[in-house]
Amino acid sequence: MNRMIVRRIASNRRGLRVVGRKTFCNDAAAEQSSSQASNDKHDTENTVRQHDIAIVGGGMVGMALACSLASTPLTKHLTVAIIDSNPTLGKEECFKKDDPPDPRVSTVTPATISFFKDIGAWEYVQQHRHAYFDNMQVWDYTGLGYTRYNARDVDKEVLGCVVENKVLHRSLLSCIQDTDSQKTIYPSRLTSMNLAPSLSSMRVDCTSSGPSMSTSGGLAKLELADGNSLYAKLVVGADGSKSRVRELARFKTTGWKYSQNAIICTVEHQEDNYCAWQRFLPSGPIALLPIGDKFSNIVWTMNPKESLDRKSLSEDDFVNALNHALDSGYGPRPQSQSFGDGSIFSWLRANVTSSASECFEVPPKVVKLASERMVFPLSLMHANQYASRRVVLIGDAAHTVHPLAGQGVNLGFGDAAALSRTIAEGVKVGTDVGEVSLLKRYEADRKLANLTMMAILDGFQKAYSVDFGPLNVLRAAAFHGAQHISPLKKSIISFASGEHRLPLFS
């Protein structure tokens, strides 16, 4: 029966195979005659499957890596195990168009959109609800300044796209199912990891593409909570901020908790919203992000006590609080200003951007709460190293950032793309994919980019968390500078789009 189920899953999902608890043991036992069953079952229980790569964590970033490997000619032959205890992973999921958007969304950058197109996952996103935006407005509660950004400022069509996480995740899973590569899902959680296992008592089911276990050196052995075990040449920790892989590999981290929580929810307007809005308030920023069909997503940062109080408000009171925070609450609206040729910025206004002359606009009014309110704490964390022999970290397992610019998941997708390229480079020259020298190239590629973005976001969080007269004036000057100094504005947009150039004059 188990064999029939597994075969049916494999045929329906092409190269995607789901392993149940003790699947291999039960299959083997069922096929043997009664006289040989005892001995063969004992042998099978000591059999451990070998994969080229084991990805621990089947979330968006882990699945993006699996999808990228499957769609790259040099790596499509690699056998990949995906380990995740989520019981819905690999199952069909139906999205009803009439349902309101889920509050868990991501703002993906043009760089991430290009990555999804390259691996064949963006077509699925386009068939479901999503919202491109080409304008963004950022301002301060003091009313002293604002900045308008437009995709035309850098000759782009969009600044980003807001997509529900479940749609992004499903697009990646569909991409994997449409490839011929062999992927195996282990619906369990990692309990232990041995990077120098003894093979004397194990018989290896060698499904990897390279040399056999006996000739390829000590591989990583992973023990799962359901009793299954497997070997892998490379273990990828894509299992989030509380990464079990990072813990077992003994990678140290640096970071701190912010004294802030974020409330996220879906809201509804009377009209469509095509712009991303962010207002800095005394206790943290509030963002209003378009999600399509007259819906928007709210990410509202505040101190923990305030977040609990806001969550317990009635729906009407919460909607009133939202509109107060997004408009004239806490301070006046900024006044639209135009700087003439005699201004202090005139000497930097060569090739002026189209958005420099745009006036301040009031965000669309929220008329209804369309989802539950979810609260989660905010923190910054960075792993001191991303890689060692046989182990590498990507996504939140390697770094977490403040959500004020929506960059967290984009950094993770950047990790997945970079690691996939590095693995392909190693395969091309015949290098072991778990070799530390190869993995350190990925670390060098991503560490600087991630640390730079983390430092900028942390600086913004600290600068806009203090209500102090002289600092307020400096912040206002920064808004005016970003609004009217064309080279600075273009560099900020390019950096936020995923090009990773420092937002300085260029």
Side-chain angles (χ1 to χ4, degrees):
M1 178 63 71
N2 284 343
R3 175 174 289 274
M4 292 175 62
I5 292 173
V6 170
R7 278 180 174 171
R8 186 170 299 172
I9 291 172
S11 63
N12 290 340
R13 291 170 172 78
R14 299 187 186 182
L16 189 64
R17 187 164 189 254
V18 181
V19 177
R21 177 178 173 85
K22 299 290 188 183
T23 299
F24 303 118
C25 299
N26 291 339
D27 289 349
E31 290 181 343
Q32 303 302 321
S33 64
S34 57
S35 61
Q36 296 177 331
S38 178
N39 291 336
D40 287 345
K41 183 176 180 181
H42 175 76
D43 288 342
T44 308
E45 287 174 348
N46 285 294
T47 299
V48 182
R49 289 180 63 86
Q50 179 185 340
H51 300 271
D52 292 306
I53 299 171
I55 302 173
V56 182
M60 292 188 293
V61 173
M63 295 301 281
L65 174 62
C67 188
S68 182
L69 292 170
S71 62
T72 302
L74 283 170
T75 56
K76 62 187 299 184
H77 67 284
L78 298 177
T79 59
V80 177
I82 301 170
I83 301 167
D84 196 300
S85 59
N86 183 356
T88 65
L89 188 64
K91 294 183 179 179
E92 295 293 337
E93 187 173 2
C94 180
F95 301 138
K96 297 180 180 179
K97 187 176 181 181
D98 295 335
D99 288 346
D102 190 274
R104 289 161 293 196
V105 305
S106 294
T107 303
V108 294
T109 63
T112 294
I113 294 172
S114 295
F115 173 53
F116 269 60
K117 288 180 178 179
D118 290 343
I119 62 179
W122 193 248
E123 183 178 353
Y124 182 94
V125 174
Q126 291 182 306
Q127 296 170 357
H128 294 78
R129 182 165 41 210
H130 61 285
Y132 291 105
F133 61 93
D134 59 3
N135 283 281
M136 182 175 185
Q137 178 174 287
V138 184
W139 73 108
D140 188 285
Y141 69 94
T142 63
L144 297 176
Y146 71 95
T147 304
R148 298 273 305 180
Y149 298 99
N150 193 304
R152 294 193 304 271
D153 294 339
V154 289
D155 299 321
K156 293 183 181 292
E157 294 183 357
V158 298
L159 294 176
C161 185
V162 183
V163 190
E164 294 166 78
N165 288 352
K166 64 183 182 182
V167 172
L168 288 173
H169 189 263
R170 185 66 202 178
S171 73
L172 295 164
L173 186 59
S174 296
C175 172
I176 294 174
Q177 292 172 353
D178 289 340
T179 64
D180 295 329
S181 61
Q182 291 298 315
K183 303 290 181 291
T184 305
I185 291 179
Y186 290 82
S188 187
R189 60 182 177 85
L190 176 67
T191 56
S192 66
M193 178 173 67
N194 186 354
L195 300 180
S198 171
L199 308 182
S200 58
S201 62
M202 289 291 174
R203 190 177 72 192
V204 177
D205 180 5
C206 189
T207 60
S208 69
S209 60
S212 67
M213 179 72 75
S214 61
T215 63
S216 60
L219 306 187
K221 181 185 178 184
L222 307 181
E223 300 279 357
L224 309 183
D226 63 0
N228 276 307
S229 301
L230 63 145
Y231 285 103
K233 297 177 181 178
L234 174 62
V235 180
V236 181
D239 48 344
S241 60
K242 298 180 180 179
S243 171
R244 179 65 172 160
V245 172
R246 188 183 68 232
E247 177 186 358
L248 293 172
R250 298 182 179 179
F251 289 175
K252 302 298 182 182
T253 63
T254 301
W256 47 82
K257 295 181 179 179
Y258 294 114
S259 57
Q260 293 177 322
N261 286 355
I263 295 180
I264 62 172
C265 61
T266 303
V267 297
E268 192 171 350
H269 310 286
Q270 290 182 334
E271 57 191 21
D272 284 324
N273 175 27
Y274 299 104
C275 180
W277 313 81
Q278 186 166 55
R279 187 185 189 207
F280 286 92
L281 304 175
S283 60
I286 181 171
L288 181 73
L289 307 172
I291 190 61
D293 301 329
K294 297 183 180 181
F295 291 106
S296 290
N297 181 260
I298 290 286
V299 183
W300 191 358
T301 303
M302 62 193 71
N303 69 56
K305 183 180 184 305
E306 281 183 310
S307 68
L308 297 178
D309 292 341
R310 301 287 189 195
K311 185 179 181 182
S312 64
L313 291 175
S314 68
E315 289 193 12
D316 288 342
D317 288 342
F318 184 73
V319 168
N320 290 334
L322 282 176
N323 288 318
H324 183 261
L326 286 166
D327 192 0
S328 57
Y330 304 95
R333 297 173 183 170
Q335 297 298 311
S336 299
Q337 298 183 22
S338 177
F339 288 87
D341 292 339
S343 77
I344 60 173
F345 297 115
S346 60
W347 66 281
L348 285 168
R349 295 188 66 209
N351 302 317
V352 63
T353 59
S354 61
S355 60
S357 59
E358 292 181 5
C359 297
F360 176 84
E361 295 185 13
V362 178
K365 187 175 181 180
V366 175
V367 297
K368 182 181 178 181
L369 181 65
S371 76
E372 64 173 318
R373 284 161 276 181
M374 305 176 70
V375 178
F376 58 93
L378 305 181
S379 63
L380 179 146
M381 182 278 297
H382 187 260
N384 296 345
Q385 64 183 106
Y386 292 3
S388 65
R389 181 169 173 79
R390 305 277 176 222
V391 182
V392 68
L393 303 179
I394 61 175
D396 283 358
H399 44 75
T400 60
V401 298
H402 197 285
L404 65 86
Q407 289 293 331
V409 74
N410 292 292
L411 295 179
F413 289 139
D415 292 347
L419 181 58
S420 179
R421 287 194 304 269
T422 301
I423 292 172
E425 291 167 1
V427 170
K428 184 177 182 179
V429 297
T431 302
D432 182 346
V433 296
E435 180 58 46
V436 66
S437 60
L438 179 68
L439 301 177
K440 285 297 182 179
R441 285 160 54 187
Y442 152 76
E443 179 178 308
D445 182 18
R446 292 301 300 165
K447 206 169 190 180
L448 178 60
N450 292 336
L451 282 172
T452 301
M453 181 63 77
M454 293 175 72
I456 291 172
L457 297 180
D458 187 59
F460 267 95
Q461 189 276 332
K462 288 178 168 57
Y464 287 91
S465 297
V466 179
D467 185 9
F468 179 59
L471 186 57
N472 293 345
V473 174
L474 289 175
R475 290 199 302 251
F479 278 119
H480 286 303
Q483 174 70 354
H484 296 284
I485 302 174
S486 299
L488 177 59
K489 176 178 284 190
K490 291 179 179 180
S491 190
I492 290 173
I493 295 174
S494 296
F495 185 78
S497 297
E499 295 182 6
H500 294 299
R501 289 187 301 153
L502 288 174
L504 303 173
F505 300 108
S506 58

